[in-house]
């Protein structure tokens, strides 16, 4: 038996979570113990409508796109391009040709670092990132800096896990070519003030790439309002399938950028020694793309829009408020990062004297799935002087009762480990 | 509705305004990167009116018939009419439905015309893709 | 009514095609006209077992891999790595760590051209390709040559569509760093004598990359016997899903190569300015990989092994012999490429005075799906002095009756177009 | 079978052979890139026999308990026994089943030992991956 939410005022009221849970077969699965999935920041669960959209492709119009002059290929082409339009609309891009399909956020960022980076970064230039970046938004810039002789600079964070923006004036100079930063920290949940930073970056002539892997799934994102130059995110973190990611870019930039991965589909014409490349997005989608996955992501975006991003954001906020309050009475517990007000649904924590792996291991015994490790953010770990943290993260299908189970599990871990401490 | 309608085959077999002009005011050529079809459009413009027009190139029935029909439609008209022509006008002109792949064949002539006359890039119809609720 | 195979000796006897067709729901689909799918060289159809394997992931153990200390993540990790082992076994790689998952053949080749290429190609070096390469195995080398000042050289072909190997001695010199060539031509079907060329290349110290996009699906491939250094292929052409491809490499080469796409999972440890990269294959699999798709490809490989690659090859050969014989009585028809004996299941053709698009368009009216165009092989088209060809391609699920339908469709096209010719 | 068996917790709480040696004959350290767990192994070898052994480092219960148990097992044995130890030996020693992720924690100590003593790279058990029918 698990405790009911103790506080009536905290009963969930923004989303019909039970109805939502019915869309996710994995959450309805009989198992002992039942799955309590608190790792959506790593990858989200997939609703049936998304799986069905892909199955429909494979079972009724499986064909390669863009070149086939027969019905199922015309159908596949239409659905693939329709998915692109849905995604453009979802982030309010002006045109669907600004949406490039990739495998994941990581590939999207590498594309910019190689293509835009090689054409625009020279020795002595500066690339500005933050210490809270995921490795996927740090390593491509490290390599670019090493290749070109450019310099990486870092925006530091406060103890509370907010960006130290006092530093910004000093860090942003006319040598800064690009600011590459995360919208939402995958470890701390911190929501960064993108619009302000983008404006400041543009004022010195720098471009801005936003790692939106943790924001596009969880809150309304409007690229025109943000005014960012590039935005990257992944399908598998937003109810979509694996194997599909997105790079959004301003059209003039995408047009100027040299090709990156090349091959089938990226061209206008090919001669033995020389080729002319196509317009974006085709220029950047080399070879047979993730057709079923793009269509699946289109279905995921339909699903998220139906539920509503504002509602999802509000729901996660309720879960966060409840969790912060509930967990705060566990002695020896540290939560990293800001107050719920300034973040989305992730809680990184440590419990004195217990390795985060062991926390995750004990929780797993009662079916609670959380993540433990460096979360691909070692520079941030170094900043907090920890090797690892345990992270619980939420999404539209999570409930208050699941947070109670997390709480119970943390207490169990404490019991197992402290009983034995000398 | 069959793609190989008599009407379309007629235009393919005996295209109108096929050939080139001497000293054209506008001359532009482009190909469809998906299949290699190529169309060149040449125009004489007098007082803003398309006084004469020719097309040349090679390609499938759809791309060539669409070019032939388009030249008939635009000859003698104000050049500015070209700018207004949309994807749907071409579909109506051809009188058959086209999937997204063959659509590019059908639109190639209009694309060449718009690019030549106004420097417009992108496929006709793409301007409709502006998203927003 | 369509003609029955006319020649009893040609009744298919190597595969139980009707049983196989039952595994592919799209081929059983009611539609008018029924789908006659002759475009497997572009992408193959997907059997139910593959779709089901992916659905099972999404519905029962959807989780990110390699880092989750909870049941469904352990399960997903195990299945993903098991797929890698299945694929290693399928091409007879010594170790599963030689299998790098990518999106497709195109990405696999780009990976080598960027990573191995940047580390090993200098001005004045030579890269040897053939004129029958797919753009995906030409453009990455064009760009590499442009970046480095190396020179591209070409193995020519005979009128019949075979490589001109008399030239090889002249073309392979101590300046040749790598030979990048296709195992099977996607246009002509030609099977190239890889083992001989690899031996000759190794004799002058050159590496060999094989584009196996059209061979791994259709005939037994043994990387140890071939002795190639790299091999690239795509899941979607071998009964697997979209969004997954493979790069095989010799282990010492993969170990020496610098990282390419970087981010989550590619590292041992990350500092602000510098990172230490992981061993292969992790070094090359940046970010969340195509998890469901890798598992799907594992199921496809199980399926192909069950049917048997020798049997598939023999079956396609029967179809080819029948088709060549049957089509040869159509006046004005040209078939490009060698006799059936020297190729796998693809027939590229042209019919006098009819644009290949129109051939495909007429065939589509009767449900026959073939491809028309340059097949991403413009240098080869230039060689044959054509803009495009029509291509029918076969796989394990095709029947003789389907070839009769192709024949009927070609006659219909002839009737429509020649009746009107002056 | 619970991962948090008494036996494993005992080793974690009071590890055997924890610490360092002066002038070790073999000294090697590695970490698990997936989680940052780190183990150092130091050995004195006399006439091919592991005369003394210590481990140090940090990590979760599984990685530390496995290291502690491994040092007990190997001390006083011929060094060559190390080479023969397999993934299965470690699993048997720990007495609990481990999925592929936690397996890496369980195998870290053996990996360090094999790398330090024989320069063997790769995770124990990976040598089993040789494919073939
Ligand atoms: C010989 C050959 N190489 C490469 C490719 C590219 O494969 P993909 O589009 O899956 O990257 C193809 C597929 O058309 C091919 O036939
Ligand atoms: C902030 C952030 N950036 C980038 C990534 C990388 O995403 P993917 O693994 O889908 O490429 C992640 C996912 O873990 C993330 O949380």
């Amino acid at each position: 038996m698990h405790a009911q939410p103790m506080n009536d005022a905290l009963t969930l009221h923004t989303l019909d979570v039970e109805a939502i849970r019915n869309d996710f077969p994995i959450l309805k699965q009989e198992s002992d113990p039942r799955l309590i999935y608190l790792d959506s920041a790593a990858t989200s669960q997939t609703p049936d409508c998304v799986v069905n959209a892909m199955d429909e492709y494979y079972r009724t119009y499986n064909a390669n796109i863009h070149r086939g002059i027969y019905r199922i290929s015309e159908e596949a082409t239409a659905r693939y391009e329709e998915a692109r339009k849905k995604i453009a609309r979802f982030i309010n891009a002006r045109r669907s040709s600004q949406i490039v399909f990739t495998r994941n956020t990581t590939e999207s960022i590498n594309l910019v670092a190689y293509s835009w980076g090689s054409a625009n970064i020279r020795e002595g230039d500066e690339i500005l990132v933050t210490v809270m970046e995921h490795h996927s938004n740090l390593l491509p810039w490290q390599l670019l800096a090493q290749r070109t002789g450019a310099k990486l600079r870092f925006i530091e964070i406060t103890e509370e896990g907010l960006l130290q923006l006092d530093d910004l004036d000093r860090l942003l100079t006319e040598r800064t070519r690009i600011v590459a930063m995360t919208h939402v920290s995958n470890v701390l949940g911190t929501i960064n003030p993108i619009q302000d930073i983008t404006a400041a970056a543009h004022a010195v002539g720098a471009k801005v790439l936003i790692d939106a892997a943790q924001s596009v799934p969880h809150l309304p994102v409007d690229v025109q309002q943000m005014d960012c130059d590039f935005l990257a995110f992944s399908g598998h973190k937003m109810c979509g399938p694996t194997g599909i990611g997105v790079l959004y870019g301003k059209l003039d930039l995408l047009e100027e950028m040299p090709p990156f991965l090349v091959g089938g589909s990226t061209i206008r014409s090919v001669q033995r020694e020389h080729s002319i490349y196509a317009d974006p997005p085709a220029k950047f989608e080399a070879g047979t793309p993730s057709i079923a996955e793009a269509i699946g992501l289109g279905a995921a975006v339909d699903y998220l829009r139906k539920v509503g991003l504002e509602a999802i954001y509000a729901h996660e906020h309720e879960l966060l408020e409840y969790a912060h309050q509930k967990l705060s009475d566990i002695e020896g517990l540290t939560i990293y990062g800001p107050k719920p007000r300034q973040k989305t649904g992730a809680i990184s924590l440590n419990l004195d004297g217990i390795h985060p792996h062991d926390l995750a291991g004990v929780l797993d015994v009662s079916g609670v799935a959380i993540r433990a490790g460096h979360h691909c953010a070692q520079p941030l770990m170094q900043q907090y002087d920890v090797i690892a943290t345990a992270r619980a993260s939420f999404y539209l299908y999570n409930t208050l009762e699941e947070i109670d189970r997390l709480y119970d599990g943390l207490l169990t871990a404490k019991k197992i480990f402290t009983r034995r401490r000398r | 509705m069959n793609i190989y309608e008599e009407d379309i085959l007629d235009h393919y077999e005996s295209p109108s305004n096929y050939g080139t002009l001497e000293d054209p005011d506008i001359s532009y050529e482009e190909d469809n990167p998906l299949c290699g079809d190529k169309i060149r459009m040449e125009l004489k413009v007098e007082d803003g009116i398309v006084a004469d027009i020719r097309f040349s190139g090679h390609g499938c029935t759809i791309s060539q018939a669409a070019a032939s029909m388009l030249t008939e439609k635009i000859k003698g008209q104000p050049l500015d009419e070209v700018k207004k022509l949309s994807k749907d006008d071409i579909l109506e002109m051809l009188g058959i439905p086209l999937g997204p792949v063959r659509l590019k064949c059908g639109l190639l002539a209009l694309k060449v015309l718009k690019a030549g006359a106004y420097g417009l890039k992108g496929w006709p119809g793409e301007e409709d893709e502006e998203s927003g609720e």
Side-chain angles (χ1 to χ4, degrees), chain A, chain B:
Chain A
M1 282 299 303
H2 301 283
Q4 287 302 305
M6 301 160 305
N7 184 335
D8 226 39
L10 276 166
T11 299
L12 293 164
H13 55 271
T14 42
L15 284 185
D16 183 354
V17 184
E18 274 319 306
I20 285 172
R21 292 175 69 86
N22 279 328
D23 300 329
F24 293 80
I26 196 170
L27 300 176
K28 294 279 134 181
Q29 200 175 196
E30 293 291 333
S31 68
D32 182 29
R34 258 188 55 217
L35 174 65
I36 308 285
Y37 189 71
L38 300 179
D39 196 18
S40 293
T43 198
S44 59
Q45 293 303 330
T46 318
D48 249 345
C49 57
V50 169
V51 177
N52 292 342
M54 294 192 287
D55 288 4
E56 192 193 357
Y57 165 78
Y58 287 119
R59 295 195 168 123
T60 69
Y61 62 97
N62 180 336
N64 214 324
I65 57 171
H66 289 318
R67 282 195 179 73
I69 303 186
Y70 50 84
R71 270 170 314 142
I72 57 174
S73 177
E74 295 272 12
E75 171 94 10
T77 305
R79 304 272 199 120
Y80 180 79
E81 292 303 329
E82 195 176 292
R84 199 193 300 280
K85 286 185 194 174
K86 286 178 185 177
I87 290 152
R89 228 175 293 135
F90 189 63
I91 60 169
N92 197 29
R94 291 171 59 90
R95 282 172 169 259
S96 66
S97 49
Q98 298 177 273
I99 303 298
V100 177
F101 284 123
T102 62
R103 180 175 34 250
N104 50 29
T105 305
T106 305
E107 188 189 353
S108 299
I109 297 170
N110 276 275
L111 195 171
V112 177
Y114 275 97
S115 167
W116 181 90
S118 312
N120 291 280
I121 299 287
R122 301 278 166 273
E123 190 172 343
D125 287 349
E126 292 182 1
I127 298 163
L128 185 57
V129 298
T130 84
V131 298
M132 64 166 79
E133 296 312 313
H134 189 281
H135 295 164
S136 293
N137 197 29
L138 174 58
L139 273 51
W141 309 112
Q142 273 190 357
L143 286 193
L144 177 62
Q146 284 161 22
R147 274 200 308 276
T148 57
K151 202 172 148 35
L152 266 187
R153 306 201 67 181
F154 288 81
I155 303 179
E156 306 289 336
I157 56 166
T158 66
E159 188 58 34
E160 218 198 329
L162 302 175
L163 292 180
Q164 256 171 28
L165 293 179
D166 322 346
D167 278 5
L168 201 58
D169 278 354
R170 195 175 48 77
L171 290 169
L172 263 183
T173 72
E174 78 288 352
R175 281 189 306 279
T176 315
R177 285 288 154 273
I178 191 164
V179 180
M181 61 178 292
T182 195
H183 191 180
V184 168
S185 158
N186 66 311
V187 178
L188 308 171
T190 315
I191 304 175
N192 292 320
I194 296 301
Q195 243 173 290
D196 297 350
I197 300 173
T198 301
H202 285 165
V204 300
K207 303 296 178 206
V208 176
L209 175 141
I210 301 300
D211 174 351
Q214 297 293 347
S215 63
V216 164
H218 298 280
L219 44 94
V221 165
D222 180 329
V223 288
Q224 294 189 58
Q225 192 184 320
M226 272 184 176
D227 198 29
C228 56
D229 299 284
F230 301 103
L231 184 99
F233 55 99
S234 298
H236 69 93
K237 292 187 200 282
M238 52 191 285
C239 294
T242 56
I244 188 89
V246 171
L247 174 67
Y248 157 87
K250 286 193 177 159
L251 203 53
D252 54 337
L253 294 175
L254 293 178
E255 281 169 352
E256 287 160 22
M257 280 158 61
F260 173 45
L261 301 179
V262 292
S265 316
T266 62
I267 54 104
R268 293 185 65 79
S269 76
V270 173
Q271 306 286 324
R272 286 188 177 197
E273 310 285 344
H274 187 75
S275 302
I276 301 171
Y277 285 87
D279 293 328
K283 176 165 66 173
F284 296 113
E285 295 184 0
T288 304
S290 298
I291 304 171
E293 294 78 1
I295 293 166
L297 182 57
V301 157
D302 286 343
Y303 182 78
L304 292 176
R305 281 165 69 98
K306 206 181 65 191
V307 177
L309 267 285
E310 290 83 358
I312 292 171
Y313 176 68
H315 172 72
E316 287 182 30
H317 196 72
E318 284 188 74
L319 293 171
L320 269 182
E321 290 276 9
Y322 180 73
H324 270 248
Q325 182 187 315
K326 176 115 194 174
L327 301 189
S328 66
D329 70 323
I330 301 179
E331 212 184 319
L333 185 105
T334 308
I335 293 181
Y336 303 92
K339 296 273 165 304
R341 205 165 32 82
Q342 285 158 306
K343 69 178 189 174
T344 58
I347 299 187
S348 263
L349 55 84
N350 262 317
L351 206 43
D352 270 359
I354 309 183
H355 193 286
H357 269 202
D358 290 321
L359 273 186
V362 172
L363 282 162
D364 179 44
V365 174
S366 51
V368 180
I370 67 162
R371 187 131 301 219
H374 53 58
H375 312 293
C376 301
Q378 287 190 348
L380 182 63
M381 296 291 120
Q382 287 147 20
Q383 206 60 14
Y384 279 106
D385 200 19
V386 293
I387 299 286
T389 72
R391 179 191 69 190
S393 57
F394 313 132
Y395 209 7
L396 69 168
Y397 35 64
N398 289 118
T399 67
L400 297 176
E401 201 229 328
E402 292 181 318
I403 289 168
D404 291 339
R405 297 282 299 276
L406 168 65
Y407 175 85
D408 296 344
L410 291 173
L411 292 189
T412 306
K414 233 178 116 114
K415 213 153 48 188
I416 291 178
F417 283 90
T418 52
R419 166 175 63 80
R420 306 173 55 93
R421 288 251 166 260
R422 269 145 293 265
Chain B
M1 193 89 84
N2 192 310
I3 279 191
Y4 300 96
E5 289 289 306
E6 288 298 308
D7 190 32
I8 289 175
L9 287 170
D10 284 342
H11 273 277
Y12 179 63
E13 291 288 315
S14 335
S16 307
N17 304 309
Y18 192 88
T20 53
L21 293 174
E22 246 170 59
D23 282 331
D25 298 308
I26 295 173
S27 172
Y28 195 76
E29 172 183 301
E30 210 166 295
D31 55 5
N32 177 347
L34 296 183
C35 59
D37 283 8
K38 193 189 291 287
I39 282 178
R40 163 172 296 272
M41 285 278 180
E42 302 192 339
L43 286 78
K44 280 268 185 210
V45 183
E46 283 164 19
D47 297 335
I49 303 289
V50 178
D52 205 355
I53 180 165
R54 292 283 190 286
F55 85 96
S56 55
H58 57 76
C60 67
T61 317
I62 305 290
S63 70
Q64 304 300 303
S68 166
M69 291 175 176
L70 186 62
T71 57
E72 285 184 358
K73 190 182 182 89
I74 210 69
K75 194 166 169 174
Q77 299 293 313
L79 182 62
D80 277 355
E81 290 293 308
V82 168
K83 215 189 243 169
K84 296 190 202 137
L85 288 177
S86 72
K87 175 180 87 177
D88 292 333
D89 294 320
I90 299 292
L91 281 173
E92 194 183 310
M93 194 181 75
L94 285 165
I96 51 168
L98 291 177
V101 179
R102 293 230 85 176
L103 189 58
K104 300 257 166 173
C105 304
L107 294 178
L108 180 58
L110 181 59
K111 181 180 199 288
V112 170
L113 204 52
K114 287 195 171 186
Y118 302 102
L120 292 173
K121 293 176 63 173
W123 287 89
E126 274 182 6
E127 62 270 27
D128 305 336
E129 284 177 18
E130 297 273 343
S131 65
E133 302 314 83

